[in-house]
Amino acid sequence: MRISRLLFAVVISGLFATPFAALADDPIVIKFSHVVANDTPKGLAAEFFAKRAAELTKGKVKVEVYGNSTLYKDKEELEALQLGAVQMLAPSLAKFGPLGVKEFEVFDLPYIFDNYADLHKVTQGPIGKSLLKKLEPKGVTGLAFWDNGFKSFSANTPILMPEDLKGKKMRIQSSKVLEAQMRALKAIPQVMAFSEVYQALQTGVVDGTENPISNLFTQKFFEVQKHLALTEHGYLGYAVIVNKKFWDGLPADVRGQLEAAMKDTTEHANKIAKEQNDKDLEGVKKSGKTAIHVPTPEQRRAFKKALIPVHEEMASRIGKDLLQSVYKETGFDPSKL
Ligand code: LMR
C-alpha cells in the first residue's frame, strides 16, 4: 500500500474515531500486523498475546491480528505503525535499519549467538532494554524481544561449502549486515519483501535464501528449493513494537495489564520457538522435496572462516561498544573458529 493510501486511511480514521472507550463499552482496538503464517513462532505468539490481553484487561482491549502480510508488507508496516494506521508489529530485527536504528543489525552478525541461551543474555537483559530505548525518538515504543530461530541457507544446488553460494542471487531482509554477509560468500544479495520470496524463488528472480525452518516450511519455500543446508549461521528474531503516542495515551491501568500480558507472551513465545522450528524441519523432511544437508565440522568451520570477518567490517556501523558488550555478555570470541 502506498503512503498516500496510508495517509488517507489515517485521516479518515481520525475524522471518525472517538477517543479511547468514548462509548463506555467499546473496547480499545489494537491492530497487530505481521508478515508470517499464523502457525509460526511469531504468528502463534501474536494470537497468544491477543488472548492474554483480553483476559487481563477483562475485554477492555481487543487485539486484532492480521498475519501473512494481509495488511502490509515489510517496509509498509513500519510506515503504517508510525502513522498510527496499526498499533503493534513484531518486525524481524533485521528490518530496523531503514528506520534509522542500525544497532539492531548486531543480531544479524554471522554466528554471534551459539544458542538461544546466549541470545537471551542479550535480548532479555540490559543490552536488550537499551536497544529498545533507541526506538523512542522514532515515535516507537519497544516492548519485548520474541524468538524465531537460527537461519539456514537454501538453493536449488547443493550447499556444502561457502564457494557453493558464489554468484548466486540470494534474497535477504533489509539489513546491511546481511548484505555484507552475502558478499563475503561472493553471492549477490537482493533485498526483497518476505511476501514476494516464494514467487521470486519459483521464477528464478533469486536462486536462494536464508531463513529459520519455520519460515521456510510455512511459506512452502521447500517446494521451490531443492537443497537446504542446516548451517544455522545467524539468528532471526523480533522486536515487538507499538506506536508510542498510542501507548502513552492508554489509561495507565490498561497499559500495565498489557505489559503483564506481553511478559507472559514473551515467556511463551520463547518457549515454543525452538519446538516449532524442530517440528517444521520434520515437515520439510516428510515433504521429500528438499535434500537436507547437515554440515560436517570442517564445512561448518569453512563457513565460519568465510563469515566471521563480517563482524569487523560492520563494527563501526553497529557501534564498537555495543559489539564488545554483546561479546562480553555471551563470551563470543571472533578469533576462535
Ligand atoms: C523475513 O523477511 O525473512 C523474515 O523477517 C520474516 C519474519 O517476519 O520472520
Side-chain angles (χ1 to χ4, degrees):
M1 190 178 299
R2 309 177 66 134
I3 279 287
S4 52
R5 265 176 75 193
L6 268 177
L7 270 174
F8 180 74
V10 172
V11 170
I12 290 295
S13 63
L15 287 179
F16 297 106
T18 44
F20 290 129
L23 304 170
D25 295 328
D26 271 3
I28 297 167
V29 173
I30 295 182
K31 287 189 176 167
F32 187 150
S33 168
H34 69 78
V35 298
V36 291
N38 294 331
D39 53 344
T40 54
K42 176 162 65 180
L44 293 167
E47 291 296 348
F48 186 97
F49 176 69
K51 196 164 158 279
R52 201 70 193 113
E55 278 163 15
L56 292 184
T57 65
K58 302 203 168 35
K60 272 194 223 140
V61 171
K62 184 167 185 282
V63 179
E64 296 173 356
V65 180
Y66 299 90
N68 246 325
S69 309
T70 44
L71 272 191
Y72 301 109
K73 299 199 280 187
D74 292 332
K75 208 160 149 298
E76 300 161 353
E77 67 172 16
L78 278 166
E79 292 162 358
L81 184 89
Q82 286 184 298
L83 289 167
V86 292
Q87 289 70 39
M88 190 174 278
L89 309 172
S92 156
L93 300 166
K95 292 177 183 167
F96 284 80
L99 200 66
V101 193
K102 299 179 242 170
E103 293 88 342
F104 277 53
E105 292 180 7
V106 72
F107 293 100
D108 300 330
L109 285 170
Y111 300 103
I112 190 159
F113 305 108
D114 275 343
N115 48 49
Y116 285 101
D118 278 354
L119 165 81
H120 291 161
K121 289 179 193 159
V122 176
T123 52
Q124 312 304 317
I127 302 177
K129 236 191 208 116
S130 74
L131 282 171
L132 292 179
K133 275 257 164 294
K134 292 192 188 294
L135 298 167
E136 304 260 321
K138 311 289 172 192
V140 171
T141 300
L143 298 180
F145 289 98
W146 289 352
D147 287 342
N148 187 337
F150 293 88
K151 295 174 295 179
S152 286
F153 290 120
S154 63
N156 275 324
T157 46
I159 308 157
L160 305 183
M161 293 293 271
E163 299 77 68
D164 296 329
L165 291 174
K166 188 172 165 191
K168 296 251 184 266
K169 284 177 276 164
M170 297 295 285
R171 180 268 171 174
I172 55 164
Q173 308 170 79
S174 57
S175 154
K176 295 288 176 209
V177 168
L178 297 180
E179 205 174 301
Q181 171 199 273
M182 292 304 186
R183 292 205 188 283
L185 297 170
K186 303 197 170 52
I188 305 153
Q190 304 232 342
V191 174
M192 186 179 289
F194 186 61
S195 55
E196 289 163 11
V197 181
Y198 181 92
Q199 213 187 357
L201 291 169
Q202 190 181 37
T203 55
V205 168
V206 290
D207 301 310
T209 185
E210 55 165 14
N211 245 297
I213 307 301
S214 59
N215 280 348
L216 175 111
F217 182 67
T218 54
Q219 295 296 319
K220 299 196 176 7
F221 295 163
F222 62 90
E223 291 179 352
V224 286
Q225 294 278 267
K226 292 198 178 73
H227 293 272
L228 168 67
L230 299 181
T231 44
E232 303 196 319
H233 57 276
Y235 171 73
L236 191 153
Y238 311 106
V240 187
I241 56 178
V242 277
N243 176 293
K244 182 170 169 3
K245 203 158 149 227
F246 167 81
W247 192 248
D248 293 346
L250 287 171
D253 58 336
V254 171
R255 197 168 48 241
Q257 288 152 355
L258 291 176
E259 277 164 1
M262 186 54 68
K263 189 164 174 284
D264 292 351
T265 308
T266 301
E267 265 168 39
H268 176 74
N270 295 354
K271 198 169 121 294
I272 62 164
K274 185 170 183 312
E275 290 162 19
Q276 280 300 119
N277 277 293
D278 290 349
K279 180 169 93 43
D280 289 344
L281 180 59
E282 292 311 308
V284 179
K285 281 182 192 159
K286 269 202 204 110
S287 78
K289 289 187 188 286
T290 306
I292 299 173
H293 175 67
V294 181
T296 64
E298 286 102 90
Q299 289 166 347
R300 198 170 286 280
R301 255 197 306 279
F303 271 101
K304 273 194 160 179
K305 193 162 173 232
L307 292 178
I308 296 290
V310 174
H311 286 228
E312 206 181 321
E313 191 187 331
M314 288 288 121
S316 54
R317 175 176 170 88
I318 286 159
K320 291 195 166 117
D321 290 350
L322 171 63
L323 191 57
Q324 286 307 324
S325 62
V326 172
Y327 286 170
K328 198 158 160 245
E329 199 65 51
T330 62
F332 180 85
D333 180 351
S335 68
K336 273 202 200 130
L337 285 185

